[in-house]
Amino acid sequence: MEGQGFNATLYLGKQRLGTVIDDASGGPVVFNLSPEDRNALDEYVQSLPDITCTFNDPDTGKPATLKPSADLFVSKLVNRTDRLKQIKKILKKPTMLVVLDKGDVFKIEYMREVNTKILTDYQKTYPDHFVFNGLTDDEIIDALESHGLC
């Protein structure tokens, strides 16, 4: 086993396209889609911008780039969904979830629900910290990506 695998159902809006499987063997993601849906997915993914890596290309000394692929696209969707579920589960408890400037994530547990006053007071005291409480799902994903956590 190479890493964490997944089985997922792929949707476009409310339309079920099929299933995708990463068996964690180090091989490619398996797509169980109709040929039309697979072609549409591939066309969409090819229209996305190149992926900038966190490491440098040894030939250029600049950040390496990858062409987007259906494998990478679906894996990223699954990872984002997993991270969102983890955060929402934490936030159901009387907890504040915070990201520090340098990208460290920590949670502060309270004995009672985290209300607006607690959040406001915290943000006044620590204006450089990013607080997840009160964000929509899309805002949480955007915050994770902007802090390099997704």
Side-chain angles (χ1 to χ4, degrees), residues 32-59:
N32 296 312
L33 307 173
S34 72
E36 298 83 22
D37 288 337
R38 178 58 199 249
N39 287 337
L41 175 63
D42 287 336
E43 283 179 26
Y44 172 73
V45 168
Q46 290 169 4
S47 75
L48 297 173
D50 287 353
I51 300 163
T52 303
C53 301
T54 57
F55 57 89
N56 287 341
D57 180 331
D59 295 333

Side-chain angles (χ1 to χ4, degrees), residues 12 14 17 25 29-30 40 62 67 71 77 106 111 129:
L12 176 61
K14 294 185 183 237
L17 299 180
S25 68
V29 174
V30 176
K62 297 179 180 176
K67 293 290 181 198
D71 284 22
L77 282 176
F106 68 96
M111 299 299 281
H129 293 187

Side-chain angles (χ1 to χ4, degrees), residues 52-95:
T52 303
C53 301
T54 57
F55 57 89
N56 287 341
D57 180 331
D59 295 333
T60 65
K62 297 179 180 176
T65 58
L66 298 173
K67 293 290 181 198
S69 69
D71 284 22
L72 290 173
F73 178 73
V74 169
S75 294
K76 184 175 180 178
L77 282 176
V78 170
N79 290 335
R80 289 172 64 183
T81 301
D82 284 347
R83 294 289 292 197
L84 181 61
K85 284 180 183 177
Q86 290 170 354
I87 288 172
K88 290 177 81 168
K89 183 178 178 180
I90 291 169
L91 292 176
K92 282 184 179 179
K93 300 174 184 175
T95 302

Side-chain angles (χ1 to χ4, degrees), residues 51-148:
I51 300 163
T52 303
C53 301
T54 57
F55 57 89
N56 287 341
D57 180 331
D59 295 333
T60 65
K62 297 179 180 176
T65 58
L66 298 173
K67 293 290 181 198
S69 69
D71 284 22
L72 290 173
F73 178 73
V74 169
S75 294
K76 184 175 180 178
L77 282 176
V78 170
N79 290 335
R80 289 172 64 183
T81 301
D82 284 347
R83 294 289 292 197
L84 181 61
K85 284 180 183 177
Q86 290 170 354
I87 288 172
K88 290 177 81 168
K89 183 178 178 180
I90 291 169
L91 292 176
K92 282 184 179 179
K93 300 174 184 175
T95 302
M96 186 184 314
L97 193 63
V98 178
V99 177
L100 300 177
D101 238 0
K102 57 188 172 198
D104 295 328
V105 179
F106 68 96
K107 66 180 181 177
I108 304 167
E109 295 183 4
Y110 290 83
M111 299 299 281
R112 58 188 168 99
E113 188 170 334
V114 177
N115 59 31
T116 305
K117 180 176 177 359
I118 292 171
L119 291 172
T120 303
D121 289 347
Y122 183 87
Q123 289 176 320
K124 282 180 186 173
T125 306
Y126 303 101
D128 59 330
H129 293 187
F130 185 87
V131 178
F132 283 93
N133 298 64
L135 299 180
T136 65
D137 291 357
D138 288 337
E139 291 169 332
I140 290 172
I141 292 296
D142 289 344
L144 289 170
E145 288 182 348
S146 70
H147 288 90

